[in-house]
Amino acid sequence: LPVACSSLPEMQDTVKATNEGPSKKEVHELGKKMAAAKVSSHSFVLKAPKGTRDRNPVQMRILEQVFTVIQDSFKRHDAVSIETPVFELKDVLTGKYGEESKLIYNLEDQGGELLSLRYDLTVPFARYVAMNKIKAIKRYQIGKVYRRDQPAMNRGRFREFYQCDFDIAGDYGVMMADAECLRIVYEVLRELNLGEFVIKVNHRRFLDGLFSACGVPADKFATTCSSVDKLDKTPWEEVKRELLQEKGLSPETVELIGEYTQISG
């Protein structure tokens, strides 16, 4: 905050106090004032916004250790790190996520540009590659992304969360990139020592073939995919109701989708 200083010694004292930071007593008093603060005659409740969370020092230490394991694996596979802004031009993000575009946080125009908070790290990476005319790159990026979703924190649905991305752009050989991505997933899960695990491959072309076999019209592949993607966190009965009532698929087609998507082993 700007501070008015009438003399050089006063200015030096102000700078010194700023560099040293507030004392424990001052921090304690500030906390008491914030807890007792009132806004528009209503009590001010101190809490994190819905769909977000704080992390204490112990949780941050664990998170940093996890990130180290992930980054080390990325680097072993010759990936380089880049950084992109937490917000992008609205036009860059619009239309890239199908129905999920409604979950993008749009920002008010304050600088002559229409902006949105990033929904993931992949579309900003694609913009970066195209803008810099990059022919081939292996890149990783770890950062927060934002979704204007109805949060269900007990089911892992947040409005703000980290993504750890590893992407390969360019020609690195037939299926080599796919195999390398699977290898990285295996390395990370093994080194985190989470116990036994199964790696499931989710490929859009697999789904397109499944939808075609089930009788889904080609123009409804994308909207059907957005519903089926919810099966990891949503019971089949809810997804089924959405496919029938909101997506307009026939009962026969939905039953076939249910049979295929619930096969395991």
Side-chain angles (χ1 to χ4, degrees):
L1 296 175
V3 179
C5 300
S6 58
S7 65
L8 181 60
E10 185 179 349
M11 183 181 296
Q12 291 173 334
D13 290 342
T14 301
V15 171
K16 181 180 178 182
T18 303
N19 289 338
E20 290 177 351
S23 66
K24 290 183 179 179
K25 182 178 179 181
E26 289 171 331
V27 171
H28 181 68
E29 289 300 320
L30 178 61
K32 288 172 62 178
K33 290 178 180 178
M34 290 177 66
K38 291 188 176 182
V39 179
S40 300
S41 75
H42 295 289
S43 295
F44 184 74
V45 179
L46 290 176
K47 69 180 187 69
K50 187 185 298 184
T52 67
R53 60 181 170 182
D54 296 319
R55 287 185 173 89
N56 62 41
V58 174
Q59 293 170 325
M60 282 304 302
R61 187 179 305 167
I62 294 172
L63 184 65
E64 289 165 358
Q65 291 172 349
V66 171
F67 283 167
T68 297
V69 169
I70 295 171
Q71 286 176 322
D72 287 347
S73 179
F74 290 161
K75 291 176 182 178
R76 279 196 300 271
H77 290 264
D78 298 324
V80 294
S81 176
I82 69 168
E83 183 175 82
T84 56
V86 73
F87 49 80
E88 293 277 345
L89 293 174
K90 183 179 179 181
D91 288 344
V92 171
L93 302 182
T94 301
K96 306 301 189 300
Y97 305 102
E99 288 190 343
E100 303 303 312
S101 293
K102 64 186 179 183
L103 301 181
I104 294 174
Y105 273 109
N106 295 320
L107 304 178
E108 291 187 7
D109 177 17
Q110 295 184 355
E113 294 180 327
L114 297 178
L115 306 173
S116 300
L117 291 178
R118 63 189 180 195
Y119 181 86
D120 64 10
L121 300 177
T122 303
V123 170
F125 170 59
R127 188 265 307 157
Y128 174 88
V129 170
M131 190 176 75
N132 292 282
K133 298 179 172 58
I134 295 172
K135 300 297 183 182
I137 185 175
K138 293 182 183 179
R139 91 85 171 83
Y140 76 86
Q141 185 176 357
I142 298 176
K144 288 185 175 182
V145 298
Y146 301 87
R147 310 244 169 127
R148 192 163 55 88
D149 202 355
Q150 287 300 322
M153 298 174 71
N154 60 334
R155 293 193 294 175
R157 295 180 70 91
F158 291 85
R159 287 176 169 168
E160 177 193 62
F161 56 92
Y162 280 102
Q163 280 193 343
C164 301
D165 265 28
F166 175 91
D167 284 296
I168 300 175
D171 185 7
Y172 285 85
V174 179
M175 298 299 292
M176 292 301 295
D178 303 74
E180 189 166 18
C181 289
L182 289 173
R183 175 68 190 182
I184 289 172
V185 173
Y186 169 77
E187 287 179 4
V188 170
L189 293 177
R190 180 193 62 192
E191 292 179 33
L192 290 176
N193 196 25
L194 300 176
E196 294 186 2
F197 58 85
V198 175
I199 299 175
K200 297 182 179 181
V201 179
N202 182 3
H203 199 295
R204 181 60 182 271
R205 290 185 179 178
F206 292 161
L207 283 176
D208 286 351
L210 184 149
F211 295 155
S212 179
C214 293
V216 178
D219 61 344
K220 291 189 176 182
F221 278 9
T223 185
T224 302
C225 183
S226 68
S227 296
V228 172
D229 275 347
K230 298 177 182 178
L231 282 173
D232 279 346
K233 299 176 181 178
T234 306
W236 163 245
E237 289 303 318
E238 289 186 27
V239 174
K240 178 181 178 180
R241 183 166 56 252
E242 181 175 308
L243 290 172
L244 288 170
Q245 297 178 3
E246 298 181 23
K247 306 305 170 66
L249 298 182
S250 69
E252 296 78 15
T253 295
V254 173
E255 288 301 326
L256 282 174
I257 292 174
E259 290 180 18
Y260 280 118
T261 56
Q262 295 182 81
I263 294 174
S264 62

